[in-house]
């Protein structure tokens, strides 16, 4: 007596499971993100090719070793402190470590991971992926150094610096502009540019901002009102940063230059007036001199004529009036001269 069982369906299922396992294994091995799996003591159970490529090890050099073996020594205690927490919490997000590559160089990475547990909630293994952030951190450090460098420059230059948003609100100022305006930094950061601008109305400023946004740059002269009410003349250069949506402004104090220009204009006006008066004086002097010469002739001939006319003659009295009028005219010409 024999009994036959059709296992075709089971074989097909087993083949399909093997195919799926092979496919998922290939996906795991070839995944672009470095992956590692640790046991409960922190020893490597599995890694993928991206992990090996990132650190330069072979698979045999990694499997079975403890994760702390490939960390910078000062990071080992960090791992020992955090691994029990990881197992207790069940996941980690963004934990950083500095790992040692096979050639001795190091990379800074951050991990995301989860704990795999069995049906009875017992620890089985970790599943972690990491990302190399060494270059990102280097770039960030370079940018911070650059930012500190530029900030130091802005704080030491004599020109005023201020940054505005597209609505004219102050975003940043340097010490020079605080000194020029008389306001403290925290006071300015609560104001708009129109609170200080002594020339433009809010509508004028909105038009100017729109013009600068379209052109990208503008240079002009303006007048700001200091905290004490006095006026500050400025030569301003503005650049629009489209990605930051900000106006970067540099202002040079030209108050003394403007005052000097006004004084020069006043002196030029006074000089022109003096030159005009001098010309009039010369003209009047010339006329008076010529007139005086004619009066001398009139007086001379009148006196000669009077000396030839008897005293009782009515003509003598008439000549006397001529002589008197000519003498008074001579006095006037002497005053003109």
């Amino acid at each position: 007596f024999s009994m036959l069982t059709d296992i075709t369906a089971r074989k097909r299922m087993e083949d399909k499971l093997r195919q799926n396992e092979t496919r998922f294994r290939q996906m795991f091995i070839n995944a672009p993100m470095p992956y590692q799996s640790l046991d409960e003591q922190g020893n490597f159970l599995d890694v993928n090719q991206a992990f090996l490529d990132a650190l330069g090890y072979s698979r045999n050099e990694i499997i079975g070793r403890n994760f702390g073996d490939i960390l910078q020594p000062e990071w080992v205690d960090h791992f020992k402190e955090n691994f029990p927490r990881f197992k207790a919490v069940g996941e980690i997000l963004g934990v950083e470590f500095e790992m040692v590559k096979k050639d001795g160089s190091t990379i800074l990475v951050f991990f995301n991971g989860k704990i795999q547990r069995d049906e009875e909630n017992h620890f089985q293994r970790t599943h972690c992926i990491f990302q190399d952030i060494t270059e990102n951190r280097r770039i960030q450090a370079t940018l911070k150094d650059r930012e500190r460098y530029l900030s130091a420059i802005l704080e030491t230059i004599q020109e005023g610096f201020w940054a505005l948003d597209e609505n004219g609100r102050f975003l940043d100022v340097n010490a020079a502009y605080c000194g020029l305006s008389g306001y403290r930094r925290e006071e300015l950061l609560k104001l708009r540019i129109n609170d200080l601008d002594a020339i433009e109305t809010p509508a004028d400023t909105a038009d100017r901002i729109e013009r600068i946004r379209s052109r990208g740059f503008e240079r002009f002269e303006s007048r700001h009102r200091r905290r004490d009410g006095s006026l500050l003349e400025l030569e301003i250069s503005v650049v629009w940063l489209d990605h930051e949506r900000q106006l970067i402004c540099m202002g040079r104090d030209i108050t003394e230059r403007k005052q000097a220009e006004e004084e020069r204009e006043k002196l030029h006006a006074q000089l022109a007036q003096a030159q005009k008066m001098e010309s009039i004086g010369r003209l009047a002097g010339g006329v008076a001199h010529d007139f005086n010469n004619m009066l001398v002739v009139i007086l001379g001939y009148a006196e000669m004529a009077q000396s030839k006319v008897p005293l009782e003659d009515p003509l003598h009295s008439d000549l006397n009036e001529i002589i008197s009028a000519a003498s008074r005219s001579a006095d006037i010409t002497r005053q003109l001269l």
Side-chain angles (χ1 to χ4, degrees):
F1 179 79
S2 63
M3 191 172 179
L4 298 175
T5 304
D6 187 358
I7 60 173
T8 305
R10 191 187 73 188
K11 285 291 186 179
R12 287 176 181 171
M13 182 64 69
E14 290 175 353
D15 290 342
K16 189 172 183 179
L17 287 173
R18 280 195 295 271
Q19 290 173 6
N20 286 339
E21 183 179 353
T22 301
R23 184 169 68 254
F24 286 124
R25 182 68 182 174
Q26 288 299 316
M27 289 172 61
F28 157 72
I29 291 295
N30 297 309
M33 185 73 74
Y35 165 90
Q36 69 180 42
S37 178
L38 305 178
D39 66 15
E40 197 166 5
Q41 285 72 46
N43 300 317
F44 284 100
L45 293 174
D46 204 356
V47 295
N48 69 350
Q49 190 59 44
F51 178 99
L52 299 174
D53 293 341
L55 294 169
Y57 297 100
S58 67
R59 186 176 181 80
N60 292 335
E61 292 171 320
I62 287 295
I63 302 303
R65 293 180 64 182
N66 191 269
F67 180 67
D69 293 343
I70 61 170
L71 294 179
Q72 276 280 75
E74 57 267 28
W75 288 81
V76 174
D77 289 340
H78 180 59
F79 167 63
K80 290 179 179 179
E81 291 174 6
N82 283 277
F83 193 57
R85 296 173 187 166
F86 176 27
K87 290 186 290 185
V89 173
E91 68 175 357
I92 56 171
L93 297 172
V95 176
E96 295 184 3
F97 292 101
E98 191 169 2
M99 302 176 73
V100 181
K101 298 171 68 173
K102 184 177 181 180
D103 62 9
S105 62
T106 61
I107 58 173
L108 182 66
V109 302
F110 79 89
F111 277 85
N112 293 324
K114 285 185 176 294
I115 299 295
Q116 178 183 332
R117 302 182 185 277
D118 60 20
E119 294 178 354
E120 297 179 354
N121 203 34
H122 294 144
F123 177 97
Q124 286 189 312
R125 60 169 58 202
T126 69
H127 295 286
C128 297
I129 57 173
F130 70 78
Q131 183 178 351
D132 183 353
I133 60 171
T134 309
E135 184 63 15
N136 288 344
R137 285 299 172 86
R138 187 193 66 77
I139 293 173
Q140 289 176 5
T142 300
L143 289 175
K144 285 182 179 179
D145 289 342
R146 194 69 176 172
E147 184 178 343
R148 285 192 291 267
Y149 173 71
L150 293 174
S151 179
I153 291 176
L154 290 174
E155 287 302 312
T156 54
I157 60 174
Q158 298 300 310
E159 285 76 13
F161 159 82
W162 60 99
L164 307 172
D165 68 11
E166 52 194 327
N167 296 311
R169 285 188 291 263
F170 282 98
L171 299 174
D172 198 7
V173 294
N174 71 345
Y177 186 71
C178 291
L180 290 172
S181 66
Y183 288 91
R184 297 192 304 274
R185 185 176 187 274
E186 55 270 25
E187 292 177 318
L188 288 168
L189 297 183
K190 298 176 183 178
L191 301 176
R192 293 174 182 263
I193 189 64
N194 281 114
D195 295 324
L196 277 73
D197 200 306
I199 296 177
E200 292 187 344
T201 65
D204 294 333
T205 301
D207 290 342
R208 185 183 293 279
I209 290 174
E210 188 59 36
R211 189 166 60 249
I212 294 171
R213 286 174 59 180
S214 62
R215 296 178 180 175
F217 175 83
E218 188 168 344
R219 180 179 288 124
F220 57 96
E221 292 183 4
S222 188
R223 186 178 296 136
H224 287 187
R225 189 176 292 102
R226 294 186 177 98
R227 198 173 190 276
D228 61 8
S230 61
L231 296 178
L232 171 67
E233 300 281 355
L234 290 168
E235 184 178 72
I236 301 174
S237 299
V238 184
V239 175
W240 169 252
L241 299 183
D242 193 56
H243 60 289
E244 299 288 344
R245 312 297 293 175
Q246 290 183 16
L247 295 154
I248 302 301
C249 311
M250 298 294 292
R252 186 161 59 92
D253 184 2
I254 58 171
T255 306
E256 291 185 1
R257 192 191 81 186
K258 281 291 190 181
Q259 291 172 347
E261 288 175 355
E262 290 176 2
E263 286 297 321
R264 280 199 300 271
E265 290 176 2
K266 189 183 296 183
L267 289 173
H268 287 159
Q270 292 173 348
L271 179 59
Q273 180 69 12
Q275 290 172 338
K276 182 168 68 175
M277 294 303 294
E278 182 181 7
S279 298
I280 293 172
R282 287 177 179 174
L283 176 62
V287 171
H289 185 74
D290 292 342
F291 188 54
N292 190 61
N293 289 339
M294 290 185 288
L295 287 174
V296 170
V297 174
I298 292 170
L299 276 170
Y301 278 99
E303 288 173 352
M304 287 173 60
Q306 189 183 44
S307 66
K308 295 177 182 180
V309 176
L311 188 60
E312 65 277 4
D313 191 326
L315 184 58
H316 189 282
S317 178
D318 293 338
L319 289 170
N320 195 55
E321 288 297 326
I322 294 172
I323 292 169
S324 178
S327 297
R328 288 196 302 272
S329 298
D331 290 337
I332 293 174
T333 58
R334 278 193 293 272
Q335 289 178 23
L336 287 172
L337 289 169

